[in-house]
Amino acid sequence: MAGETEWLEPDELATWMSLAALMFKLPGVLDYQLQRDSGLTHFEYLVLAGLSESPGRSRRMSDLAGFANGSLSRLSHVVKRLEQRGFVDRRPAEDDGRITVATITDSGYEVLVAAAPGHVTTVREYVIAGLTPEQLAQLKVIADQILSRVDPGKPC
Amino acid sequence: MAGETEWLEPDELATWMSLAALMFKLPGVLDYQLQRDSGLTHFEYLVLAGLSESPGRSRRMSDLAGFANGSLSRLSHVVKRLEQRGFVDRRPAEDDGRITVATITDSGYEVLVAAAPGHVTTVREYVIAGLTPEQLAQLKVIADQILSRVDPGKPC
DNA sequence: CCGGATGACTTGAAGCGTCAACTAAGTGGG
DNA sequence: CCCACTTAGTTGACGCTTCAAGTCATCCGG
């Protein structure tokens, strides 16, 4: 961090403040709604959703972790809890014993299906509904551009 | 949640996925940099920054909590830790004993001043630098619009 | 075909955030 | 004045995430 620091211009700062506030508040309202109505965290929801849309309703752990934007360790803990609740099964892959394959159970699928409408409605209400189609397109481009710097590994 | 659910259109979904990924990743890289280089979390940084820019380098707790986008309870825990580290003082307000006023100490100020350049550089590198001035303006509008729905209490 | 390196997780401990309960200080109607 | 109510903040327990360490399987060079 040597050299001159380029401080943020007022408009840059304002944008950053707004984005930062958004980043702190949005997860909260999403988690709150899901937790209250379905007993799931947003991360758990993503995990179940990721499984449900995969072939065989199954997916290997690292893959799921990437999908849900979490660490492998975090996923491991979460999947263990989901397994204890009967929403997910876990077993080693046949061809490579290092790999663990998680599968959503019928009861997990039911929970997901019950949770989805409320979650989607919440996302629509808070995020989508307030934006014009043009802004929606702008937002995708912007988010992807920032993402590509934050996490160059995963192309969009 | 009765009635028909309006599912997300593909482009709506795509935007939401990008935004969601951003919301999960950005806090991580910010926290990581601050933690590594300065031993502060982003929330702690915001708390110190909020104090440093206030008159008398002081601010009451609820006010600070709003500024840093966190609950009062969270702030209370964090300020206790910062106090133990000698970065902040705490004492009841003279005119109203219910109110607690937090003040940043000299050593807290030093830590903040040392942390700021790295943090600002990180924000610039990940968020600002990848966007055109036009996108920057768009992003502020978009973030504020979403924010006003998420948290109607706090106007921007 | 053996042994070290790498890959894919899993685990346990430590720290942080949330929730609910609690304390203490002001306020206000009777 | 008082007692109930509200406001401001603190606290403790609990759950979740992270980090570092550990396990077990597979790969690969000799």
Short mmCIF file of all heavy atoms in Angstrom, two decimals, chain A residues 8-68:
data_model
loop_
_atom_site.label_atom_id
_atom_site.label_comp_id
_atom_site.label_asym_id
_atom_site.label_seq_id
_atom_site.Cartn_x
_atom_site.Cartn_y
_atom_site.Cartn_z
N LEU A 8 -11.51 8.67 -2.65
CA LEU A 8 -12.72 8.62 -3.48
C LEU A 8 -13.30 10.02 -3.66
O LEU A 8 -13.40 10.80 -2.71
CB LEU A 8 -13.78 7.73 -2.82
CG LEU A 8 -13.40 6.25 -2.62
CD1 LEU A 8 -14.54 5.49 -1.97
CD2 LEU A 8 -13.00 5.59 -3.92
N GLU A 9 -13.66 10.33 -4.87
CA GLU A 9 -14.40 11.56 -5.15
C GLU A 9 -15.77 11.48 -4.49
O GLU A 9 -16.27 10.38 -4.26
CB GLU A 9 -14.61 11.73 -6.66
CG GLU A 9 -13.34 11.69 -7.48
CD GLU A 9 -12.43 12.86 -7.15
OE1 GLU A 9 -12.97 13.96 -6.91
OE2 GLU A 9 -11.20 12.67 -7.11
N PRO A 10 -16.38 12.63 -4.23
CA PRO A 10 -17.70 12.62 -3.57
C PRO A 10 -18.72 11.71 -4.25
O PRO A 10 -19.44 10.99 -3.58
CB PRO A 10 -18.13 14.09 -3.67
CG PRO A 10 -16.86 14.85 -3.67
CD PRO A 10 -15.86 14.00 -4.41
N ASP A 11 -18.76 11.74 -5.58
CA ASP A 11 -19.76 10.90 -6.24
C ASP A 11 -19.38 9.42 -6.18
O ASP A 11 -20.24 8.56 -6.08
CB ASP A 11 -19.98 11.37 -7.69
CG ASP A 11 -18.70 11.34 -8.48
OD1 ASP A 11 -17.63 11.53 -7.86
OD2 ASP A 11 -18.73 11.13 -9.71
N GLU A 12 -18.09 9.15 -6.22
CA GLU A 12 -17.66 7.76 -6.05
C GLU A 12 -18.02 7.27 -4.66
O GLU A 12 -18.50 6.16 -4.46
CB GLU A 12 -16.15 7.65 -6.27
CG GLU A 12 -15.73 7.95 -7.70
CD GLU A 12 -14.21 8.02 -7.87
OE1 GLU A 12 -13.50 8.29 -6.87
OE2 GLU A 12 -13.74 7.82 -8.98
N LEU A 13 -17.77 8.12 -3.70
CA LEU A 13 -18.06 7.77 -2.31
C LEU A 13 -19.55 7.52 -2.12
O LEU A 13 -19.97 6.56 -1.47
CB LEU A 13 -17.59 8.89 -1.39
CG LEU A 13 -17.76 8.61 0.10
CD1 LEU A 13 -16.91 7.43 0.54
CD2 LEU A 13 -17.41 9.85 0.93
N ALA A 14 -20.35 8.40 -2.71
CA ALA A 14 -21.80 8.27 -2.56
C ALA A 14 -22.29 6.94 -3.14
O ALA A 14 -23.10 6.24 -2.54
CB ALA A 14 -22.51 9.43 -3.24
N THR A 15 -21.76 6.61 -4.32
CA THR A 15 -22.15 5.34 -4.93
C THR A 15 -21.73 4.18 -4.04
O THR A 15 -22.51 3.26 -3.78
CB THR A 15 -21.49 5.17 -6.31
OG1 THR A 15 -21.93 6.23 -7.16
CG2 THR A 15 -21.85 3.83 -6.92
N TRP A 16 -20.51 4.27 -3.54
CA TRP A 16 -20.02 3.19 -2.71
C TRP A 16 -20.86 3.04 -1.43
O TRP A 16 -21.21 1.92 -1.03
CB TRP A 16 -18.55 3.42 -2.35
CG TRP A 16 -18.07 2.54 -1.26
CD1 TRP A 16 -17.50 2.92 -0.09
CD2 TRP A 16 -18.12 1.11 -1.22
NE1 TRP A 16 -17.21 1.85 0.68
CE2 TRP A 16 -17.58 0.71 0.01
CE3 TRP A 16 -18.59 0.12 -2.10
CZ2 TRP A 16 -17.49 -0.62 0.39
CZ3 TRP A 16 -18.51 -1.20 -1.72
CH2 TRP A 16 -17.95 -1.56 -0.49
N MET A 17 -21.21 4.16 -0.83
CA MET A 17 -22.02 4.10 0.38
C MET A 17 -23.36 3.42 0.12
O MET A 17 -23.83 2.63 0.91
CB MET A 17 -22.26 5.52 0.92
CG MET A 17 -21.04 6.13 1.58
SD MET A 17 -20.38 5.10 2.93
CE MET A 17 -19.89 6.38 4.08
N SER A 18 -23.96 3.78 -1.01
CA SER A 18 -25.25 3.17 -1.34
C SER A 18 -25.10 1.67 -1.57
O SER A 18 -25.89 0.87 -1.07
CB SER A 18 -25.83 3.82 -2.60
OG SER A 18 -26.17 5.17 -2.33
N LEU A 19 -24.06 1.31 -2.32
CA LEU A 19 -23.86 -0.10 -2.60
C LEU A 19 -23.56 -0.85 -1.31
O LEU A 19 -24.06 -1.95 -1.07
CB LEU A 19 -22.71 -0.28 -3.59
CG LEU A 19 -22.38 -1.73 -3.93
CD1 LEU A 19 -23.58 -2.44 -4.54
CD2 LEU A 19 -21.20 -1.81 -4.91
N ALA A 20 -22.74 -0.24 -0.46
CA ALA A 20 -22.38 -0.90 0.80
C ALA A 20 -23.62 -1.12 1.66
O ALA A 20 -23.84 -2.21 2.20
CB ALA A 20 -21.34 -0.07 1.55
N ALA A 21 -24.43 -0.07 1.76
CA ALA A 21 -25.65 -0.21 2.55
C ALA A 21 -26.51 -1.34 2.01
O ALA A 21 -27.05 -2.16 2.75
CB ALA A 21 -26.43 1.10 2.56
N LEU A 22 -26.61 -1.39 0.69
CA LEU A 22 -27.40 -2.44 0.05
C LEU A 22 -26.86 -3.82 0.41
O LEU A 22 -27.61 -4.72 0.77
CB LEU A 22 -27.36 -2.23 -1.46
CG LEU A 22 -28.23 -3.17 -2.27
CD1 LEU A 22 -29.68 -3.01 -1.88
CD2 LEU A 22 -28.05 -2.93 -3.75
N MET A 23 -25.56 -3.95 0.32
CA MET A 23 -24.93 -5.23 0.61
C MET A 23 -25.18 -5.69 2.04
O MET A 23 -25.17 -6.89 2.32
CB MET A 23 -23.42 -5.12 0.41
CG MET A 23 -22.97 -5.34 -1.00
SD MET A 23 -21.18 -5.14 -1.13
CE MET A 23 -20.68 -4.90 0.57
N PHE A 24 -25.37 -4.75 2.94
CA PHE A 24 -25.58 -5.15 4.33
C PHE A 24 -27.04 -5.45 4.63
O PHE A 24 -27.35 -6.31 5.43
CB PHE A 24 -25.10 -4.06 5.28
CG PHE A 24 -23.61 -3.97 5.32
CD1 PHE A 24 -22.97 -2.80 4.96
CD2 PHE A 24 -22.84 -5.05 5.71
CE1 PHE A 24 -21.59 -2.73 4.97
CE2 PHE A 24 -21.47 -4.99 5.72
CZ PHE A 24 -20.83 -3.81 5.35
N LYS A 25 -27.92 -4.72 3.94
CA LYS A 25 -29.34 -4.85 4.28
C LYS A 25 -30.04 -5.98 3.53
O LYS A 25 -30.89 -6.66 4.08
CB LYS A 25 -30.05 -3.53 3.97
CG LYS A 25 -29.53 -2.36 4.77
CD LYS A 25 -30.44 -2.04 5.91
CE LYS A 25 -29.74 -1.33 7.04
NZ LYS A 25 -30.03 0.09 7.11
N LEU A 26 -29.71 -6.13 2.26
CA LEU A 26 -30.46 -7.10 1.45
C LEU A 26 -30.38 -8.52 2.01
O LEU A 26 -31.41 -9.16 2.16
CB LEU A 26 -29.95 -7.08 0.01
CG LEU A 26 -30.96 -6.71 -1.06
CD1 LEU A 26 -30.41 -7.04 -2.43
CD2 LEU A 26 -32.29 -7.41 -0.87
N PRO A 27 -29.19 -9.01 2.31
CA PRO A 27 -29.13 -10.36 2.87
C PRO A 27 -30.04 -10.51 4.08
O PRO A 27 -30.69 -11.53 4.25
CB PRO A 27 -27.66 -10.51 3.26
CG PRO A 27 -26.93 -9.58 2.37
CD PRO A 27 -27.85 -8.42 2.18
N GLY A 28 -30.10 -9.48 4.89
CA GLY A 28 -30.92 -9.53 6.09
C GLY A 28 -32.39 -9.77 5.79
O GLY A 28 -33.00 -10.67 6.36
N VAL A 29 -32.95 -8.99 4.86
CA VAL A 29 -34.38 -9.15 4.61
C VAL A 29 -34.68 -10.48 3.92
O VAL A 29 -35.72 -11.10 4.17
CB VAL A 29 -34.96 -7.98 3.77
CG1 VAL A 29 -34.77 -6.66 4.50
CG2 VAL A 29 -34.35 -7.90 2.40
N LEU A 30 -33.77 -10.93 3.09
CA LEU A 30 -33.99 -12.22 2.44
C LEU A 30 -33.96 -13.34 3.46
O LEU A 30 -34.84 -14.21 3.49
CB LEU A 30 -32.91 -12.46 1.39
CG LEU A 30 -32.95 -11.51 0.20
CD1 LEU A 30 -31.76 -11.75 -0.70
CD2 LEU A 30 -34.25 -11.67 -0.56
N ASP A 31 -32.96 -13.32 4.30
CA ASP A 31 -32.86 -14.34 5.33
C ASP A 31 -34.06 -14.31 6.26
O ASP A 31 -34.59 -15.34 6.64
CB ASP A 31 -31.58 -14.14 6.16
CG ASP A 31 -30.44 -15.01 5.68
OD1 ASP A 31 -30.72 -16.04 5.04
OD2 ASP A 31 -29.28 -14.67 5.93
N TYR A 32 -34.47 -13.11 6.60
CA TYR A 32 -35.57 -12.98 7.53
C TYR A 32 -36.84 -13.63 6.99
O TYR A 32 -37.50 -14.41 7.67
CB TYR A 32 -35.83 -11.51 7.84
CG TYR A 32 -36.99 -11.30 8.76
CD1 TYR A 32 -36.87 -11.56 10.13
CD2 TYR A 32 -38.22 -10.89 8.28
CE1 TYR A 32 -37.95 -11.40 10.98
CE2 TYR A 32 -39.31 -10.72 9.12
CZ TYR A 32 -39.17 -10.98 10.46
OH TYR A 32 -40.24 -10.83 11.30
N GLN A 33 -37.15 -13.30 5.74
CA GLN A 33 -38.37 -13.85 5.15
C GLN A 33 -38.32 -15.38 5.04
O GLN A 33 -39.26 -16.08 5.40
CB GLN A 33 -38.59 -13.22 3.76
CG GLN A 33 -39.84 -13.71 3.03
CD GLN A 33 -39.61 -14.99 2.24
OE1 GLN A 33 -38.55 -15.16 1.65
NE2 GLN A 33 -40.58 -15.89 2.25
N LEU A 34 -37.19 -15.88 4.56
CA LEU A 34 -37.08 -17.33 4.38
C LEU A 34 -37.13 -18.05 5.72
O LEU A 34 -37.79 -19.08 5.88
CB LEU A 34 -35.77 -17.66 3.67
CG LEU A 34 -35.83 -17.63 2.14
CD1 LEU A 34 -34.45 -17.76 1.55
CD2 LEU A 34 -36.72 -18.76 1.64
N GLN A 35 -36.42 -17.50 6.67
CA GLN A 35 -36.36 -18.10 7.99
C GLN A 35 -37.76 -18.16 8.62
O GLN A 35 -38.18 -19.18 9.14
CB GLN A 35 -35.43 -17.25 8.88
CG GLN A 35 -35.04 -17.91 10.17
CD GLN A 35 -33.98 -18.96 9.94
OE1 GLN A 35 -32.93 -18.66 9.39
NE2 GLN A 35 -34.24 -20.19 10.34
N ARG A 36 -38.44 -17.03 8.52
CA ARG A 36 -39.75 -16.93 9.15
C ARG A 36 -40.76 -17.86 8.48
O ARG A 36 -41.49 -18.59 9.13
CB ARG A 36 -40.24 -15.48 9.03
CG ARG A 36 -41.50 -15.15 9.78
CD ARG A 36 -42.05 -13.83 9.30
NE ARG A 36 -41.98 -13.74 7.84
CZ ARG A 36 -42.37 -12.72 7.12
NH1 ARG A 36 -42.86 -11.66 7.72
NH2 ARG A 36 -42.29 -12.72 5.81
N ASP A 37 -40.78 -17.86 7.14
CA ASP A 37 -41.82 -18.60 6.45
C ASP A 37 -41.47 -20.05 6.17
O ASP A 37 -42.36 -20.86 5.94
CB ASP A 37 -42.15 -17.89 5.11
CG ASP A 37 -42.69 -16.49 5.33
OD1 ASP A 37 -43.11 -16.18 6.47
OD2 ASP A 37 -42.70 -15.69 4.37
N SER A 38 -40.20 -20.37 6.15
CA SER A 38 -39.84 -21.73 5.74
C SER A 38 -38.77 -22.37 6.62
O SER A 38 -38.41 -23.52 6.39
CB SER A 38 -39.32 -21.73 4.30
OG SER A 38 -40.14 -20.93 3.47
N GLY A 39 -38.25 -21.66 7.57
CA GLY A 39 -37.22 -22.25 8.44
C GLY A 39 -35.91 -22.50 7.73
O GLY A 39 -35.13 -23.37 8.14
N LEU A 40 -35.66 -21.79 6.65
CA LEU A 40 -34.40 -21.97 5.92
C LEU A 40 -33.63 -20.65 5.91
O LEU A 40 -34.23 -19.58 5.85
CB LEU A 40 -34.68 -22.36 4.47
CG LEU A 40 -35.33 -23.70 4.18
CD1 LEU A 40 -35.64 -23.81 2.70
CD2 LEU A 40 -34.44 -24.85 4.62
N THR A 41 -32.32 -20.74 5.94
CA THR A 41 -31.52 -19.56 5.63
C THR A 41 -31.44 -19.43 4.11
O THR A 41 -31.75 -20.36 3.38
CB THR A 41 -30.09 -19.68 6.16
OG1 THR A 41 -29.47 -20.80 5.51
CG2 THR A 41 -30.06 -19.91 7.67
N HIS A 42 -31.00 -18.27 3.65
CA HIS A 42 -30.86 -18.08 2.22
C HIS A 42 -29.83 -19.05 1.66
O HIS A 42 -29.98 -19.58 0.55
CB HIS A 42 -30.47 -16.64 1.90
CG HIS A 42 -30.50 -16.32 0.44
ND1 HIS A 42 -29.49 -15.65 -0.20
CD2 HIS A 42 -31.42 -16.61 -0.51
CE1 HIS A 42 -29.79 -15.55 -1.47
NE2 HIS A 42 -30.95 -16.11 -1.70
N PHE A 43 -28.80 -19.28 2.42
CA PHE A 43 -27.77 -20.21 1.95
C PHE A 43 -28.33 -21.63 1.83
O PHE A 43 -28.09 -22.32 0.84
CB PHE A 43 -26.57 -20.17 2.90
CG PHE A 43 -25.38 -20.94 2.41
CD1 PHE A 43 -24.57 -20.41 1.43
CD2 PHE A 43 -25.08 -22.20 2.92
CE1 PHE A 43 -23.46 -21.11 0.96
CE2 PHE A 43 -23.98 -22.91 2.46
CZ PHE A 43 -23.18 -22.37 1.48
N GLU A 44 -29.08 -22.04 2.84
CA GLU A 44 -29.70 -23.37 2.77
C GLU A 44 -30.65 -23.45 1.57
O GLU A 44 -30.69 -24.48 0.87
CB GLU A 44 -30.48 -23.64 4.06
CG GLU A 44 -29.58 -23.89 5.26
CD GLU A 44 -30.34 -23.91 6.58
OE1 GLU A 44 -31.44 -23.33 6.67
OE2 GLU A 44 -29.83 -24.50 7.54
N TYR A 45 -31.37 -22.38 1.36
CA TYR A 45 -32.28 -22.34 0.20
C TYR A 45 -31.50 -22.54 -1.09
O TYR A 45 -31.88 -23.33 -1.96
CB TYR A 45 -33.03 -21.01 0.17
CG TYR A 45 -33.95 -20.85 -1.00
CD1 TYR A 45 -35.27 -21.28 -0.94
CD2 TYR A 45 -33.49 -20.29 -2.19
CE1 TYR A 45 -36.12 -21.14 -2.03
CE2 TYR A 45 -34.34 -20.14 -3.28
CZ TYR A 45 -35.64 -20.57 -3.20
OH TYR A 45 -36.46 -20.43 -4.28
N LEU A 46 -30.41 -21.82 -1.22
CA LEU A 46 -29.59 -21.94 -2.43
C LEU A 46 -29.07 -23.36 -2.61
O LEU A 46 -29.00 -23.88 -3.72
CB LEU A 46 -28.42 -20.97 -2.36
CG LEU A 46 -28.69 -19.54 -2.80
CD1 LEU A 46 -27.45 -18.69 -2.61
CD2 LEU A 46 -29.11 -19.51 -4.27
N VAL A 47 -28.68 -23.96 -1.50
CA VAL A 47 -28.17 -25.33 -1.58
C VAL A 47 -29.25 -26.26 -2.09
O VAL A 47 -29.04 -27.03 -3.04
CB VAL A 47 -27.67 -25.79 -0.19
CG1 VAL A 47 -27.43 -27.29 -0.17
CG2 VAL A 47 -26.39 -25.05 0.19
N LEU A 48 -30.42 -26.18 -1.49
CA LEU A 48 -31.52 -27.04 -1.94
C LEU A 48 -31.89 -26.74 -3.39
O LEU A 48 -32.11 -27.66 -4.19
CB LEU A 48 -32.74 -26.86 -1.04
CG LEU A 48 -32.56 -27.33 0.42
CD1 LEU A 48 -33.85 -27.14 1.20
CD2 LEU A 48 -32.11 -28.78 0.49
N ALA A 49 -31.93 -25.46 -3.72
CA ALA A 49 -32.27 -25.10 -5.10
C ALA A 49 -31.22 -25.63 -6.07
O ALA A 49 -31.56 -26.14 -7.14
CB ALA A 49 -32.38 -23.58 -5.22
N GLY A 50 -29.97 -25.52 -5.68
CA GLY A 50 -28.89 -26.00 -6.53
C GLY A 50 -28.99 -27.50 -6.77
O GLY A 50 -28.74 -27.98 -7.88
N LEU A 51 -29.39 -28.21 -5.74
CA LEU A 51 -29.56 -29.66 -5.91
C LEU A 51 -30.76 -29.98 -6.78
O LEU A 51 -30.70 -30.82 -7.67
CB LEU A 51 -29.74 -30.33 -4.53
CG LEU A 51 -28.49 -30.35 -3.66
CD1 LEU A 51 -28.80 -30.93 -2.29
CD2 LEU A 51 -27.38 -31.14 -4.34
N SER A 52 -31.85 -29.28 -6.53
CA SER A 52 -33.11 -29.62 -7.21
C SER A 52 -33.01 -29.44 -8.71
O SER A 52 -33.68 -30.14 -9.47
CB SER A 52 -34.25 -28.79 -6.65
OG SER A 52 -34.21 -27.49 -7.22
N GLU A 53 -32.19 -28.51 -9.14
CA GLU A 53 -32.13 -28.24 -10.57
C GLU A 53 -31.01 -29.00 -11.27
O GLU A 53 -30.75 -28.78 -12.44
CB GLU A 53 -31.98 -26.73 -10.82
CG GLU A 53 -30.63 -26.19 -10.42
CD GLU A 53 -30.53 -24.68 -10.67
OE1 GLU A 53 -31.56 -23.99 -10.62
OE2 GLU A 53 -29.41 -24.22 -10.90
N SER A 54 -30.34 -29.87 -10.52
CA SER A 54 -29.24 -30.61 -11.12
C SER A 54 -29.72 -31.99 -11.56
O SER A 54 -30.68 -32.52 -11.02
CB SER A 54 -28.12 -30.79 -10.10
OG SER A 54 -27.61 -29.54 -9.72
N PRO A 55 -29.03 -32.56 -12.54
CA PRO A 55 -29.42 -33.90 -13.01
C PRO A 55 -29.34 -34.89 -11.85
O PRO A 55 -28.36 -34.92 -11.11
CB PRO A 55 -28.38 -34.22 -14.09
CG PRO A 55 -27.28 -33.22 -13.91
CD PRO A 55 -27.89 -32.02 -13.27
N GLY A 56 -30.37 -35.67 -11.68
CA GLY A 56 -30.41 -36.64 -10.59
C GLY A 56 -30.61 -35.99 -9.24
O GLY A 56 -30.43 -36.61 -8.21
N ARG A 57 -30.97 -34.70 -9.29
CA ARG A 57 -31.13 -33.95 -8.03
C ARG A 57 -29.90 -34.11 -7.13
O ARG A 57 -30.00 -34.15 -5.90
CB ARG A 57 -32.36 -34.40 -7.26
CG ARG A 57 -33.66 -34.01 -7.95
CD ARG A 57 -34.85 -34.36 -7.11
NE ARG A 57 -36.09 -33.94 -7.75
CZ ARG A 57 -37.30 -34.17 -7.24
NH1 ARG A 57 -37.40 -34.81 -6.11
NH2 ARG A 57 -38.38 -33.76 -7.87
N SER A 58 -28.75 -34.26 -7.76
CA SER A 58 -27.53 -34.50 -7.02
C SER A 58 -26.42 -33.59 -7.53
O SER A 58 -26.46 -33.14 -8.68
CB SER A 58 -27.06 -35.95 -7.21
OG SER A 58 -28.01 -36.84 -6.71
N ARG A 59 -25.46 -33.39 -6.69
CA ARG A 59 -24.35 -32.54 -7.09
C ARG A 59 -23.21 -32.78 -6.11
O ARG A 59 -23.43 -33.01 -4.93
CB ARG A 59 -24.79 -31.08 -7.00
CG ARG A 59 -24.13 -30.18 -7.97
CD ARG A 59 -25.10 -29.07 -8.31
NE ARG A 59 -24.44 -28.01 -9.07
CZ ARG A 59 -25.08 -26.94 -9.51
NH1 ARG A 59 -26.36 -26.79 -9.26
NH2 ARG A 59 -24.45 -26.03 -10.22
N ARG A 60 -22.00 -32.68 -6.59
CA ARG A 60 -20.87 -32.88 -5.68
C ARG A 60 -20.65 -31.62 -4.87
O ARG A 60 -21.01 -30.51 -5.27
CB ARG A 60 -19.61 -33.25 -6.44
CG ARG A 60 -19.24 -32.28 -7.51
CD ARG A 60 -17.98 -32.71 -8.19
NE ARG A 60 -16.85 -32.62 -7.27
CZ ARG A 60 -15.59 -32.69 -7.63
NH1 ARG A 60 -15.30 -32.84 -8.91
NH2 ARG A 60 -14.63 -32.62 -6.77
N MET A 61 -20.02 -31.80 -3.72
CA MET A 61 -19.93 -30.73 -2.75
C MET A 61 -19.25 -29.47 -3.29
O MET A 61 -19.79 -28.36 -3.17
CB MET A 61 -19.18 -31.22 -1.50
CG MET A 61 -19.91 -32.30 -0.74
SD MET A 61 -21.44 -31.73 0.05
CE MET A 61 -20.81 -30.92 1.50
N SER A 62 -18.09 -29.60 -3.89
CA SER A 62 -17.35 -28.40 -4.31
C SER A 62 -18.15 -27.61 -5.34
O SER A 62 -18.14 -26.38 -5.34
CB SER A 62 -16.00 -28.74 -4.93
OG SER A 62 -15.65 -30.05 -4.70
N ASP A 63 -18.82 -28.35 -6.17
CA ASP A 63 -19.66 -27.76 -7.19
C ASP A 63 -20.79 -26.93 -6.54
O ASP A 63 -21.01 -25.76 -6.87
CB ASP A 63 -20.25 -28.93 -7.98
CG ASP A 63 -20.78 -28.49 -9.30
OD1 ASP A 63 -20.55 -27.33 -9.68
OD2 ASP A 63 -21.45 -29.31 -9.96
N LEU A 64 -21.44 -27.54 -5.59
CA LEU A 64 -22.51 -26.87 -4.85
C LEU A 64 -22.00 -25.64 -4.13
O LEU A 64 -22.65 -24.59 -4.12
CB LEU A 64 -23.06 -27.82 -3.78
CG LEU A 64 -24.48 -28.33 -3.85
CD1 LEU A 64 -24.84 -28.98 -2.54
CD2 LEU A 64 -25.45 -27.23 -4.18
N ALA A 65 -20.84 -25.77 -3.56
CA ALA A 65 -20.26 -24.65 -2.82
C ALA A 65 -20.07 -23.46 -3.75
O ALA A 65 -20.41 -22.32 -3.42
CB ALA A 65 -18.93 -25.05 -2.18
N GLY A 66 -19.55 -23.73 -4.93
CA GLY A 66 -19.37 -22.66 -5.91
C GLY A 66 -20.71 -22.06 -6.30
O GLY A 66 -20.87 -20.84 -6.34
N PHE A 67 -21.67 -22.92 -6.54
CA PHE A 67 -23.00 -22.44 -6.93
C PHE A 67 -23.60 -21.52 -5.87
O PHE A 67 -24.17 -20.49 -6.18
CB PHE A 67 -23.92 -23.64 -7.16
CG PHE A 67 -25.35 -23.25 -7.41
CD1 PHE A 67 -25.76 -22.85 -8.67
CD2 PHE A 67 -26.27 -23.27 -6.37
CE1 PHE A 67 -27.07 -22.48 -8.90
CE2 PHE A 67 -27.60 -22.89 -6.60
CZ PHE A 67 -28.00 -22.50 -7.86
N ALA A 68 -23.43 -21.91 -4.62
CA ALA A 68 -24.06 -21.15 -3.53
C ALA A 68 -23.15 -20.04 -3.00
O ALA A 68 -23.47 -19.40 -2.01
CB ALA A 68 -24.47 -22.08 -2.41
#
